[in-house]
Amino acid sequence: MPETNTTEETIFDRLGDRPQVAALVDWTLLKLDKSSDSIHLSFTATEAFTNPGGSVHGGFITAMLDECMGSAIVGLTDARFLPVTISMSTDFIKPVPVGRIFGEGRITSMGNTSAFLEARLMDQAGRPLARAIGTYRLTPFPSSPDHGSGSR
């Protein structure tokens, strides 16, 4: 999976520290693509995330997919909205290994109060590992991003 680290400033540069869950999964912005309503991220799954079978536990996989979708709303709307997950359906395609994982979140439809999104996680070769669809309530972001405070 090619790294496409963005060099242009995004809303995430003005929001301050990453929330604890984003820091835990090593949330890293690779690209914010407003032309396709998508965000590209990477995560790092550690040994502490594994289930008894040695692959990443489904709860961590679901958290990464949720981060892909929620971050898409925050990034693509310049933090006008703080997304609240209403529902989420996850498909676990292959066991997720420890290490670097790539994610993509995409807005499929968005109104004034809710949004529908899809997300997927891939390994370093771009093979699918998991996917999700989600419905999110759009609430006002709690603080102005122009002041450098707040969180995703």
Side-chain angles (χ1 to χ4, degrees), residues 73-129:
I73 293 170
V74 172
L76 295 166
T77 68
D78 291 322
R80 284 194 342 254
F81 300 108
L82 179 66
V84 177
T85 309
I86 295 172
S87 68
M88 186 173 167
S89 175
T90 304
D91 296 318
F92 302 97
I93 300 167
K94 291 182 180 173
V96 176
V98 169
R100 195 142 186 232
I101 300 164
F102 295 89
E104 177 184 1
R106 180 179 310 277
I107 298 173
T108 58
S109 178
M110 192 164 109
N112 292 326
T113 59
S114 63
F116 298 89
L117 289 95
E118 58 189 17
R120 60 190 182 125
L121 295 179
M122 289 95 28
D123 65 15
Q124 293 189 24
R127 293 180 295 247
L129 299 171

Side-chain angles (χ1 to χ4, degrees), residues 45-64:
T46 68
E47 291 286 337
F49 296 1
T50 59
N51 60 31
S55 60
V56 177
H57 184 279
F60 288 101
I61 295 166
T62 301
M64 291 176 202

Side-chain angles (χ1 to χ4, degrees), residues 13-27:
D13 296 314
R14 298 190 305 266
L15 287 177
D17 294 336
R18 293 184 294 176
Q20 290 182 3
V21 68
L24 178 67
V25 295
D26 191 30
W27 181 104

Side-chain angles (χ1 to χ4, degrees), residues 17-48:
D17 294 336
R18 293 184 294 176
Q20 290 182 3
V21 68
L24 178 67
V25 295
D26 191 30
W27 181 104
T28 303
L29 176 64
L30 300 177
K31 181 180 180 184
L32 186 61
D33 188 352
K34 291 188 178 189
S35 67
S36 67
D37 283 336
S38 67
I39 192 167
H40 300 264
L41 304 170
S42 73
F43 305 98
T44 304
T46 68
E47 291 286 337

